[in-house]
Amino acid sequence: MAAEAAQVVVPPAVQLQPLRLPDDAGALVAFITGQDWPFHFHLRPSTAQVQAWIAADAYAPPGAQAFWIVVDGECAGFTRLFDLEDIADGEPQFDLRVGAAWRGRGVAQAALRALCDHAFGTWPPLARISAETRVDNLAMRRVLVSCGFVLEGQFRRAWDSDDGARHDALWFGLLRDDWASGVNTPVRWVDEAGVR
C-alpha cells in the first residue's frame, strides 16, 4: 500500500496595493463595516466611525500608510502602518484585517511579512515594529511569532472591548536585525525579585 502524500500548503501570493484616498473611501467603509472584527475594539464599526477615522487621516501620511491586501486579484483584507510621524526614534504599529472568507488560509502571515519588508525597506533608520493583540487572539499570536515577532510583555486588563469587557493585552516586537537575519533575539527579562 502506497503512503499518502502529505498535504502541501502553499502560502497565497499576496500583494499590498496602496489605499488611495479619497477615491477608495467608499470601498474602505464598506470593507470595515461589512463584517465583524472579533478581536478589535469595535466589533463592527459604524459607517460614521470609519468616515471619522478617514477624516482624521488615520489612513494617510504623514502618520500612516494603508494598503489593500490583494490575493489573485481579489481584495482579501486591509492593513495599515501607523505612528509613522517620527520613524527615527519611534516604533510604528500596524492594523491587519483579513476578511472572514480569507481567514485561516495564510493571508495574514503573507501580508504581515510583506508589510514588514515594506517598512524596513522604506525607512533605513527604522529599528523595530511593534504589535499589540488581545491575549485570546490565538490566530494573531501565531501569525506574529511565525513572522519573527517576539513576545515582550503582557498588560493585565489593558484592552477594552465594545461590550465593556477588559482583556489582557500582549505586546510583541520585531527588531530590524531579527528581520534581516531571520533569527530572533530573546528578551532578557528583568528579575523583579532583585528590586524588592
Side-chain angles (χ1 to χ4, degrees):
M1 175 184 268
E4 288 186 33
Q7 181 181 5
V8 177
V9 178
V10 178
V14 167
Q15 293 181 318
L16 300 182
Q17 294 182 354
L19 179 74
R20 305 211 185 279
L21 293 173
D23 296 347
D24 289 347
L28 180 62
V29 169
F31 179 77
I32 293 178
T33 62
Q35 55 199 305
D36 288 347
W37 304 102
F39 296 102
H40 284 74
F41 176 77
H42 299 286
L43 178 63
R44 186 178 284 238
S46 69
T47 296
Q49 286 171 317
V50 180
Q51 288 172 336
W53 297 336
I54 292 169
D57 289 334
Y59 306 105
Q65 280 191 354
F67 303 91
W68 294 112
I69 300 168
V70 178
V71 179
D72 296 330
E74 289 186 53
C75 178
F78 169 80
T79 188
R80 73 181 175 113
L81 284 164
F82 59 95
D83 290 343
L84 299 179
E85 295 90 345
D86 201 5
I87 278 291
D89 61 359
E91 55 181 296
Q93 294 184 55
F94 61 89
D95 181 15
L96 180 62
R97 296 174 187 256
V98 174
W102 292 92
R103 293 177 193 155
R105 296 168 60 183
V107 173
Q109 182 184 51
L112 182 53
R113 286 185 191 280
L115 189 65
C116 292
D117 289 349
H118 167 75
F120 285 122
T122 301
W123 296 288
L126 179 61
R128 58 177 283 126
I129 300 171
S130 295
E132 185 179 13
T133 192
R134 276 179 24 185
V135 72
D136 57 338
N137 190 347
L138 300 179
M140 190 64 208
R141 290 168 57 185
R142 283 191 291 272
V143 166
L144 289 166
V145 170
S146 72
C147 291
F149 284 75
V150 173
L151 178 63
E152 297 177 338
Q154 181 167 347
F155 301 96
R156 297 174 302 156
R157 292 188 228 149
W159 190 297
D160 292 331
S161 57
D162 255 351
D163 64 3
R166 296 190 64 87
H167 306 271
D168 284 8
L170 299 178
W171 192 263
F172 290 81
L174 176 62
L175 304 178
R176 173 181 286 279
D177 295 342
D178 292 1
W179 165 78
S181 70
V183 177
N184 290 352
T185 304
V187 174
R188 294 185 182 180
W189 294 104
V190 174
D191 179 10
E192 285 300 312
V195 296
R196 291 186 189 152

